Amino acid sequence: MNLPFLDLRVVESSAFIAAPLAGLTLAQFGVDVIRVEMIGGGIDYGRLPLMPSGRSLYWTGLNKNKRSIAIDLRRDEGRELVRNLVVAGGTRGGFLLTNIVSQWLAHDLLARERPDVITCTIEGNPDGTTAVDYTVNSATGYPLMTGAGSAVAPVNHVLPAWDMACAFQAAFAVVSAAERRRRTGQGAELRLALADVAFTMLSHLGLVAEAELLDQDRPAIGNYIYGAFGRDFGTKDGRRVIVAAISAGQWSSLVKACAMDDAIGELQRTSGRQFAREGDRYESREAIAAIVEAWCAARTFDQVKDAFDANRVCWGLYRTTRGLVRDDPRVGSGNPVWERIETAGVGPHLAAGTPLRAAGEARGASTPAPLLGQHTDQVLHEILGLDSPAIGRLHDAGIVAGPERDPSQPQGGRK
């Protein structure tokens, strides 16, 4: 595993994005993450997009570097196995990461067996009621200020930003609690609500104070960058780029690249604004954009690119995800963050490790997402100390299963 800084073992029982991504983040830093799954897969094991084999690229992407154990979680014997896995493992073990609220995995119940157990539960709302990224986002105000969004025609963005932020908060919380336990022996019951992650971020970014103190909401301003200057522009040959001129240096680079010193000087005189100030650039964004738009429209993409790069403009090219994979040098073998792995039922493909680059630290190869139950026997023997006859009896009783019950396999689903 990449960058093995953390010698911990975490049992993960989860679905959707936030909790599996938190587990993946921990796994990429060396944590032994054991994902507990229902025999045959949970609610997101077959989530789109799917390969012809039936394997989910969504699920396999979120579950690299983990081990998988398949258990019948509806039966008391299966639930007892999961509890035993959580509390076992000496100083390495005693961790649970979940977003599936289950009384049989409650912190108090686990703490009776292991007082220093650390559990991290991701919830929708702080009162424990259900919410997902998209329903939380509807309350943030962002859909009313995204693009041409409004109260009667909100615009939902497609990036699960709050899930992502929640995942990283959860991973950090687990590591922090582990460090405290190492020093004091104290366990922890950690709860993290997706809504709290989103709404506290609004506070950090000033939107809550803006609403309370200035009694105003951010307007929908299309593709302009709020508070500075930036927008998308089309080139003569039909490509589209985005320009960001937030800092003074970025602004001066853009003015130089577009040779618009005279036009900008005249605009400052007529508007009475000073574009060395980003707030003034924001207020005059439409007039400035008209100058940049005309400059870009008169040139091919290659000409725009050359001028922007020569003058160190902060800019980007709009492209599809396929275009990113095919053409962007930041994705692929030239960047050590990326590697090519082979996942069962998927085949060889590009996969990302942690984006962290640590000077002098070797990067190990990522482990492809496992088949359901691929490590069932290994985990039961290694962590719970069960011998082959005992494990065989669990298989015979249908309490656990191996990869032969993975529905994406030719014999999947066979008892």
Side-chain angles (χ1 to χ4, degrees), residues 124-126 131-145 154-157 162 194-196 198-200 202-203 207-208 211 217:
N125 292 308
V132 297
D133 187 285
Y134 309 103
T135 61
V136 167
N137 191 58
S138 70
T140 64
Y142 278 120
L144 279 60
M145 64 181 93
V155 177
N156 293 329
H157 66 72
W162 309 124
L194 191 65
D196 284 343
F199 302 156
T200 55
L202 296 184
S203 173
L207 279 82
V208 169
D217 290 311

Side-chain angles (χ1 to χ4, degrees), residues 17 30 37 77 83 105 121 142 148 151 158 164 170 199 224-225 228 246 251 255 260 269 291 295-296 326 386:
I17 296 175
E37 199 87 50
E77 300 94 328
R83 288 193 294 268
L105 267 183
T121 302
Y142 278 120
V158 298
M164 295 161 60
F199 302 156
Y224 285 101
I225 295 176
I246 300 173
W251 169 248
V255 171
M260 56 183 184
R269 286 190 292 272
I291 300 171
W295 185 88
C296 289
R326 182 183 64 239
L386 300 183

Side-chain angles (χ1 to χ4, degrees), residues 191-230:
R191 307 190 78 86
L192 187 61
L194 191 65
D196 284 343
V197 170
F199 302 156
T200 55
M201 185 58 68
L202 296 184
S203 173
H204 303 333
L205 296 177
L207 279 82
V208 169
E210 180 182 4
E212 179 186 9
L213 303 177
L214 301 180
D215 192 28
Q216 67 184 30
D217 290 311
R218 299 267 176 98
I221 55 174
N223 279 347
Y224 285 101
I225 295 176
Y226 176 78
F229 178 74

Side-chain angles (χ1 to χ4, degrees), residues 291-376:
I291 300 171
V292 179
E293 187 172 41
W295 185 88
C296 289
R299 290 162 176 80
T300 65
F301 168 72
D302 287 341
Q303 291 172 321
V304 170
K305 177 183 183 301
D306 289 345
F308 282 176
D309 287 347
N311 291 281
R312 301 179 64 82
V313 172
C314 184
W315 72 283
L317 170 66
Y318 287 92
R319 53 171 37 128
T320 65
T321 308
R322 285 187 296 171
L324 171 74
V325 174
R326 182 183 64 239
D327 299 327
D328 198 309
R330 292 169 292 188
V331 175
S333 59
N335 184 342
V337 167
W338 294 89
E339 59 190 302
R340 186 163 290 278
I341 64 175
E342 182 156 357
T343 301
V346 174
H349 60 97
L350 279 175
T354 172
L356 180 70
R357 293 171 291 158
E361 298 283 351
R363 298 180 67 93
S366 292
T367 304
L371 294 169
L372 289 181
Q374 180 174 328
H375 305 97
T376 295

Side-chain angles (χ1 to χ4, degrees), residues 118-272:
I118 293 172
T119 63
C120 181
T121 302
I122 295 175
E123 305 168 301
N125 292 308
D127 63 0
T129 55
T130 299
V132 297
D133 187 285
Y134 309 103
T135 61
V136 167
N137 191 58
S138 70
T140 64
Y142 278 120
L144 279 60
M145 64 181 93
T146 300
S150 68
V152 296
V155 177
N156 293 329
H157 66 72
V158 298
L159 178 72
W162 309 124
D163 277 329
M164 295 161 60
C166 186
F168 300 140
Q169 287 267 14
F172 185 78
V174 168
V175 173
S176 296
E179 171 58 18
R180 186 180 69 171
R181 188 177 77 178
R182 185 190 66 80
R183 290 184 286 105
T184 69
Q186 182 177 349
E189 180 181 10
L190 310 172
R191 307 190 78 86
L192 187 61
L194 191 65
D196 284 343
V197 170
F199 302 156
T200 55
M201 185 58 68
L202 296 184
S203 173
H204 303 333
L205 296 177
L207 279 82
V208 169
E210 180 182 4
E212 179 186 9
L213 303 177
L214 301 180
D215 192 28
Q216 67 184 30
D217 290 311
R218 299 267 176 98
I221 55 174
N223 279 347
Y224 285 101
I225 295 176
Y226 176 78
F229 178 74
R231 208 199 74 182
D232 60 304
F233 299 98
T235 65
K236 184 178 181 180
D237 49 354
R239 308 294 289 277
R240 202 138 195 101
V241 299
I242 184 171
V243 170
I246 300 173
S247 70
Q250 291 169 351
W251 169 248
S252 62
S253 293
L254 179 63
V255 171
K256 186 177 179 181
C258 297
M260 56 183 184
D261 299 79
D262 293 342
I264 290 299
E266 178 61 23
L267 185 56
Q268 288 185 122
R269 286 190 292 272
T270 58
S271 67

Side-chain angles (χ1 to χ4, degrees), residues 1 6-11 30-34 67 86-95 114 116 178 181 382-383:
M1 297 183 184
L6 301 171
D7 187 21
L8 306 174
R9 177 178 293 126
V10 172
V11 174
V31 174
D32 178 16
V33 176
I34 299 173
R67 294 198 281 176
V86 173
V87 300
T91 57
R92 291 188 67 205
F95 296 90
R114 179 164 182 162
D116 69 345
R181 188 177 77 178
E382 173 189 321
I383 300 176

Side-chain angles (χ1 to χ4, degrees), residues 13-15 79 96-107 120-125 127-130 189 191-192:
S13 176
S14 69
R79 294 175 175 184
L96 171 68
L97 171 65
T98 187
N99 66 334
I100 302 174
V101 179
S102 304
Q103 288 303 313
W104 59 272
L105 267 183
H107 178 88
C120 181
T121 302
I122 295 175
E123 305 168 301
N125 292 308
D127 63 0
T129 55
T130 299
E189 180 181 10
R191 307 190 78 86
L192 187 61

